[in-house]
């Protein structure tokens, strides 16, 4: 299939760099040296919701500018969009990719030594590879290109004070598009644009995962190098199978009208510790895949990420982000069944250990793939080089 709408890769400008953490920024820096971390946006957003006026269509909040100490006013619609993009634009899977499951024959040896949950999961993955046509492929896939459209909808928030619960927000939506490139092993690049020019860029050179937004600059992800969640949402069946190659089978569950096998993978303790930073401690990151018993295809993906933050008052606050994705419209592309549409619903839940107060925000993304092409001629590793300031500010990444 021919590709459409390819864009020239952007030129990079120096940006202020702060670490990318997958949880809320645990503490505010000194007023004269304050920087907005990737999840500080979520904390500010929740704070503004508590003071929201239900009779006002648009509200404003003061935030600190990254590049100077001046205070700017951010409209509600833009802050909602930033939250949407921060959660749904380029989330990562919980674990790295391991190996090519189409060449894994170890399961046939010493079968008695393998737990039934593991051997069952391996069988389900082999059925998935067969259902998507990957086992029949004779030509090796080295890279992939995909374009698609998205509509992001949100944000609806429920806030409880322990006695009263109020709902805020409207289901406003922003449409956009994305371009995704992938090169094996472990290299990918994403450009996503919504709302008339709000651009999120992200990528991996196989060693460093990074993200760039206009309001945060460029950030390097902590912890092991992990794949982009969009890739394993039925877009690349081999990567999906790779991710679940060491999964456990939890049993069966119905999704809609389909009976499914449920597979689980989760980040191990060492990876969790590597992703924690300061008072922000990652507790868990788990991913569940639901594989249809009738078709063998992946039709639902759900992951849960929990972070605990210890405040200066020695109070623990928890942030849980859950994303559930329905996956469908599988079509043949060069002999491989690729999912061409889906819907993701994300929930950001903030709660404490003792307090009855909580905040829950729901947001949504609907996506469709327009074009997919494998083995694009001329694609080189140079296309996946991270922005220069990632290395300038993190010498240990060299």
């Amino acid at each position: 299939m021919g590709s459409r709408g390819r864009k020239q890769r952007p030129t990079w400008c120096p940006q202020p760099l702060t670490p990318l953490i997958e949880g809320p920024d645990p503490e505010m820096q000194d007023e004269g040296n304050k920087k907005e971390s990737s999840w500080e946006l979520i904390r500010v957003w929740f704070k503004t919701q508590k003071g929201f006026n239900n009779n006002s269509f648009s509200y404003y909040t003061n935030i600190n500018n990254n590049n100077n100490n001046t205070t700017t006013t951010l409209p509600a619609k833009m802050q909602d969009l930033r939250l949407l993009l921060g959660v749904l634009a380029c989330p990562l899977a919980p674990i790295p990719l391991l190996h090519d499951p189409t060449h894994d024959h170890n399961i046939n040896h010493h079968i008695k030594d393998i737990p039934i949950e593991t051997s069952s999961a391996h069988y389900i993955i082999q059925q998935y590879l067969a259902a998507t046509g990957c086992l029949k492929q004779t030509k090796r896939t080295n890279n992939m290109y995909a374009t698609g459209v998205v509509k992001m909808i949100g944000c609806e928030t429920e806030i409880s004070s322990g006695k009263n619960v109020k709902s805020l927000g409207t289901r406003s939506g922003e449409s956009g598009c994305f371009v995704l490139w992938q090169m094996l092993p472990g290299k990918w690049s994403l450009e996503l644009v919504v709302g008339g020019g709000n651009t999120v860029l992200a990528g991996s050179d196989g060693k460093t995962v990074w993200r760039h937004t206009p309001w945060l600059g460029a950030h390097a992800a902590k912890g092991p190098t992990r794949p982009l969640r969009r890739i394993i949402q039925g877009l690349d069946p081999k990567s999906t199978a790779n991710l679940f190659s060491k999964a456990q089978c939890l049993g069966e569950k119905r999704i809609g009208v389909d009976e499914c096998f449920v597979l689980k993978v989760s980040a191990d303790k060492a990876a969790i510790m590597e992703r924690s930073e300061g008072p922000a401690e990652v507790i868990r990151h788990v991913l569940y895949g639901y594989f249809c018993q009738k078709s063998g295809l992946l039709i639902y993906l759900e992951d849960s990420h929990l972070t605990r933050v210890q405040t200066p008052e020695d109070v623990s606050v928890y942030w849980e982000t859950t994303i559930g994705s329905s996956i469908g419209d599988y079509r043949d592309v060069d002999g491989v069944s690729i999912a061409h549409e889906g819907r993701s619903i994300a929930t950001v839940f903030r709660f404490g250990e003792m307090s009855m107060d909580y905040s829950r925000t729901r947001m949504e993304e609907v996506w469709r793939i327009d074009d997919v092409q494998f083995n694009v001629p001329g694609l080189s590793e140079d296309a996946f080089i991270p922005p220069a300031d990632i290395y300038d500010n993190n010498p240990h990444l060299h």
Side-chain angles (χ1 to χ4, degrees):
M1 297 179 64
S3 58
R4 300 189 298 271
R6 299 188 188 181
K7 297 183 179 181
Q8 184 177 359
R9 292 188 61 78
T11 55
W12 295 102
C13 300
Q15 297 285 342
L17 179 68
T18 56
L20 172 63
I21 59 173
E22 294 186 77
D25 188 17
E27 57 185 352
M28 299 294 288
Q29 301 179 14
D30 293 337
E31 195 67 24
N33 189 35
K34 192 186 298 180
K35 292 184 179 180
E36 183 183 25
S37 78
S38 59
W39 281 76
E40 173 62 17
L41 180 65
I42 293 181
R43 184 173 65 175
V44 171
W45 193 90
F46 271 109
K47 283 184 177 180
T48 60
Q49 291 297 304
K50 290 183 178 180
F52 183 78
N53 183 346
N54 285 315
N55 297 321
S56 174
F57 174 77
S58 180
Y59 65 96
Y60 296 88
T61 177
N62 291 329
I63 62 169
N64 188 268
N65 188 285
N66 275 335
N67 298 322
N68 53 58
N69 292 325
T70 62
T71 300
T72 59
T73 306
L74 189 67
K77 185 176 181 181
M78 178 58 68
Q79 188 141 335
D80 286 352
L81 180 59
R82 288 186 177 185
L83 180 64
L84 271 167
L85 292 173
V87 175
L88 285 171
C90 51
L92 304 178
I95 63 173
L97 299 181
L98 300 175
H99 61 282
D100 185 352
T102 59
H103 296 94
D104 184 9
H105 303 293
N106 294 330
I107 197 70
N108 296 322
H109 303 290
H110 310 294
I111 192 69
K112 294 181 179 180
D113 299 330
I114 301 175
I116 185 64
E117 297 86 356
T118 303
S119 59
S120 297
H122 180 91
Y123 174 79
I124 293 165
I125 288 302
Q126 291 301 306
Q127 292 296 107
Y128 169 68
L129 287 168
T132 54
C134 292
L135 296 182
K136 295 181 180 179
Q137 276 189 309
T138 57
K139 185 178 181 181
R140 180 180 176 84
T141 300
N142 297 314
N143 62 57
M144 179 190 69
Y145 159 84
T147 62
V149 294
V150 298
K151 183 173 183 180
M152 293 189 169
I153 305 168
C155 302
E156 297 174 312
T157 301
E158 178 183 288
I159 298 177
S160 171
S161 60
K163 296 180 180 179
N164 301 312
V165 178
K166 63 179 179 178
S167 297
L168 308 171
T170 59
R171 285 179 57 83
S172 58
E174 294 285 353
S175 298
C177 59
F178 65 88
V179 179
L180 175 63
W181 299 85
Q182 182 187 32
M183 176 179 284
L184 300 175
K187 301 176 183 65
W188 54 267
S189 175
L190 172 72
E191 179 179 2
L192 185 145
V193 183
V194 297
N198 297 282
T199 303
V200 174
L201 300 160
S204 171
D205 63 352
K207 298 178 181 178
T208 302
V209 177
W210 56 273
R211 180 177 68 172
H212 178 281
T213 64
W215 56 91
L216 296 176
H219 303 261
K222 292 178 64 65
T225 303
R226 293 170 285 144
L228 184 69
R229 193 181 190 273
R230 290 187 185 275
I231 293 175
I232 62 172
Q233 290 175 180
L235 189 56
D236 180 6
K238 282 191 176 181
S239 291
T240 304
N242 187 316
L243 192 79
F244 285 98
S245 60
K246 292 187 179 296
Q248 289 184 312
C249 179
L250 301 185
E252 304 177 15
K253 186 175 181 179
R254 180 184 292 270
I255 299 294
V257 298
D258 296 307
E259 293 289 345
C260 297
F261 294 114
V262 184
L263 302 190
K264 171 191 172 183
V265 293
S266 59
D268 60 27
K269 184 177 180 179
I272 289 295
M273 293 179 63
E274 194 175 347
R275 287 163 55 183
S276 299
E277 184 175 20
E281 177 188 4
V282 179
I283 304 299
R284 69 166 186 267
H285 194 178
V286 184
L287 179 70
Y288 303 92
Y290 296 78
F291 295 82
C292 178
Q293 295 182 10
K294 184 176 181 180
S295 67
L297 299 173
L298 175 69
I299 64 170
Y300 191 75
L301 199 64
E302 182 181 26
D303 65 290
S304 173
H305 181 275
L306 179 64
T307 300
R308 178 173 58 204
V309 177
Q310 203 73 15
T311 68
E313 295 79 19
D314 200 30
V315 176
S316 294
V317 178
Y318 293 84
W319 299 76
E320 183 175 23
T321 303
T322 303
I323 305 177
S325 301
S326 301
I327 301 166
D329 191 19
Y330 279 86
R331 304 180 195 174
D332 183 275
V333 179
D334 296 339
V336 179
S337 291
I338 302 297
H340 276 67
E341 67 178 25
R343 178 188 182 204
S344 295
I345 297 176
T347 302
V348 180
F349 185 38
R350 180 187 186 276
F351 61 98
E353 282 185 332
M354 306 299 294
S355 173
M356 296 296 291
D357 296 357
Y358 70 84
S359 299
R360 180 187 289 112
T361 296
R362 183 181 183 274
M363 58 201 80
E364 181 179 336
E365 179 196 73
V366 180
W367 54 268
R368 186 184 75 242
I369 300 298
D370 288 335
D371 191 20
V372 180
Q373 184 175 346
F374 296 111
N375 293 326
V376 179
L379 184 62
S380 72
E381 295 184 357
D382 293 342
F384 303 93
I385 297 175
D389 51 325
I390 291 287
Y391 294 105
D392 292 342
N393 292 276
N394 293 267
H396 66 280
L397 295 177
H398 284 284

